[in-house]
Amino acid sequence: MRIRIIALALVLLALPSFAAIQYDFIQKNTTDDPVAPNNDLTGRATIDGLRLRVDFIGGTIYPPGTYVISNDGSQRLFFVDPTKKWYTEFNAAGVATAIGASTIRIANLKPSLVKHEDHPVMLGIETEHSTLKLSYDITWPRKGMSISSHVETEIESWMTTKYGESLESSALSIARTGNAEIDQLIQEETSRLRGFALRQTVTTRSTFNLPNLKSELKVAPTKTITRETWVTAVREISPSATLFSVPAGYRRADTPELPEATE
């Protein structure tokens, strides 16, 4: 659960800042990795400036009925579980800093953006159809050795600037890790894809440079992960401040439950 929340935090850090909107979406993640299961998510996101909330309605990633909120552009995320009446706090800025402090290295970054001539209408909104390709080599430490791979990422997007154009919000600045190579990769994506995606497909294919291990275990030299997201409804709203607050009486998940007072 903690890893999934951290992954969500990094996604939310890249959300644009615009007038208050609420949208319903479906997300499906598929992979050819036999160890990692495919999963899906149905949710509802509400964004009002730097305040945001994502309700998990269905799917296999998060328990339905739970939600995540933030009041400061994703610096701090609160995962709330109404069934247990508790919440867990995650420091998203700390996650980015931890990534920056790691010895991850990225080299040979090559971006390529194609803007297609078609402008499909989705939910009554004309979209900009584009495909961004990112090619790079990445190296990271694992169990006393260095693992490296070549990565090819293709992001096909159908976007609109109806709800705002710039991704350069204060929330995005928090996503900076301090690692120049990782930050350049983030910048290449966020600066080239501007606006709000009504549909997006992200396909990442990694080709690993595996060490010559003396083992009968066969490890796949490549892995492909695809994330598809569709917005099924979008509307402008005037949300109440309570929508972005942890309900009164909820306790932290890491705080012991105190016994009831006796008279």
Side-chain angles (χ1 to χ4, degrees):
M1 176 63 72
R2 182 178 180 85
I3 296 298
R4 290 173 178 173
I5 293 295
I6 291 174
L8 175 67
L10 297 179
V11 173
L12 292 177
L13 285 169
L15 285 173
S17 177
F18 34 53
I21 66 168
Q22 185 177 81
Y23 62 93
D24 303 332
F25 66 94
I26 298 172
Q27 183 182 107
K28 292 186 178 181
N29 302 301
T30 58
T31 177
D32 57 8
D33 185 347
V35 178
N38 298 332
N39 52 55
D40 62 276
L41 167 66
T42 301
R44 173 171 295 158
T46 306
I47 306 176
D48 183 14
L50 295 181
R51 302 188 301 180
L52 60 90
R53 171 169 171 153
V54 180
D55 290 90
F56 306 119
I57 298 172
T60 59
I61 303 180
Y62 304 99
T66 58
Y67 58 92
V68 168
I69 57 175
S70 176
N71 280 281
D72 54 14
S74 298
Q75 292 187 60
R76 294 186 305 162
L77 291 169
F78 296 89
F79 176 83
V80 183
D81 188 337
T83 62
K84 298 179 180 178
K85 294 188 176 180
W86 61 241
Y87 65 93
T88 304
E89 180 179 351
F90 296 92
N91 184 337
V95 173
T97 300
I99 293 174
S102 67
T103 56
I104 296 174
R105 293 292 177 261
I106 294 176
N108 304 318
L109 175 60
K110 298 177 182 178
S112 173
L113 177 66
V114 175
K115 293 186 177 181
H116 304 288
E117 295 183 357
D118 61 328
H119 297 273
V121 175
M122 300 180 179
L123 302 177
I125 302 170
E126 185 177 276
T127 63
E128 296 288 339
H129 183 197
S130 64
T131 300
L132 173 63
K133 294 183 179 181
L134 298 169
S135 171
Y136 57 92
D137 299 316
I138 182 170
T139 303
W140 68 97
R142 184 177 182 183
K143 296 181 179 180
M145 67 176 69
S146 291
I147 304 295
S148 62
S149 67
H150 178 70
V151 180
E152 299 279 350
T153 296
E154 181 175 292
I155 307 173
E156 186 172 14
S157 303
W158 292 262
M159 308 189 77
T160 176
T161 57
K162 177 179 179 179
Y163 302 104
E165 179 176 301
S166 177
L167 282 171
E168 298 298 328
S169 64
S170 60
L172 183 58
S173 66
I174 300 167
R176 298 294 184 260
T177 67
N179 181 316
E181 296 167 358
I182 297 176
D183 290 343
Q184 182 183 2
L185 177 61
I186 294 173
Q187 178 66 25
E188 288 293 347
E189 179 178 343
T190 56
S191 64
R192 294 171 186 268
L193 298 177
R194 310 181 71 85
F196 175 57
L198 293 177
R199 180 180 175 184
Q200 189 173 77
T201 301
V202 182
T203 302
T204 300
R205 181 180 177 85
S206 301
T207 303
F208 298 93
N209 297 319
L210 299 173
N212 187 18
L213 301 176
K214 295 181 179 180
S215 172
E216 295 181 358
L217 178 64
K218 300 299 181 180
V219 180
T222 64
K223 180 171 66 175
T224 302
I225 300 174
T226 301
R227 184 181 74 242
E228 300 176 89
T229 306
W230 303 268
V231 173
T232 57
V234 60
R235 50 203 164 267
E236 296 185 51
I237 63 170
S238 298
S240 168
T242 58
L243 193 67
F244 307 97
S245 302
V246 176
Y250 281 37
R251 63 183 180 87
R252 290 180 63 101
D254 55 358
T255 303
E257 187 172 0
L258 299 177
E260 295 182 2
T262 57
E263 297 183 355

